[in-house]
Amino acid sequence: MKTNEVHAQKQELLTRIQTEGAEAAYQAALGVCRDKTAPAPARATCATTILRAGGYLNAKEDGGSGKQPHEMTAAELSSRLETLRAARARCDESDADPFG
């Protein structure tokens, strides 16, 4: 197999992990959280995993301890802008008049 084919195959797998795999992992963890018969440590671990994945347990996400724009790389700035634009779009959607 050629190097570019290996790279393409790895990239495809990574994409599937980040989409299908992440969704499956989230659903499994959520299922354990909701299962009242699951052991408490398992429920707590899954709850922590979900919160961490959502950014709730990340100190950088708390609004005060993240990097300043002048400290960010171009890729970090681009990612932050994308996040902010998505948040703005969600706000715009929720502010829309439901009656047109």
Side-chain angles (χ1 to χ4, degrees):
M1 189 176 284
K2 295 180 181 177
T3 303
N4 61 343
E5 291 173 346
V6 170
H7 179 70
Q9 199 168 31
K10 283 182 179 181
Q11 188 60 41
E12 183 179 327
L13 179 58
L14 182 58
T15 299
R16 289 184 61 211
I17 290 168
Q18 292 174 336
T19 54
E20 295 172 46
E23 180 66 28
Y26 167 73
Q27 291 299 330
L30 189 59
V32 173
C33 285
R34 290 181 171 162
D35 182 356
K36 303 238 187 269
T37 64
R43 292 177 72 196
T45 298
C46 288
T48 301
T49 299
I50 290 171
L51 292 173
R52 183 171 288 117
Y56 289 99
L57 302 181
N58 186 348
K60 292 180 181 177
E61 298 288 327
D62 69 4
S65 59
K67 285 185 178 179
Q68 295 295 316
H70 69 276
E71 299 171 320
M72 294 181 185
T73 65
E76 289 170 326
L77 283 168
S78 179
S79 176
R80 182 69 176 137
L81 281 171
E82 186 177 320
T83 300
L84 291 170
R85 286 179 178 135
R88 183 182 64 192
R90 286 191 303 274
C91 288
D92 290 347
E93 289 171 6
S94 67
D95 290 342
D97 182 1
F99 300 106

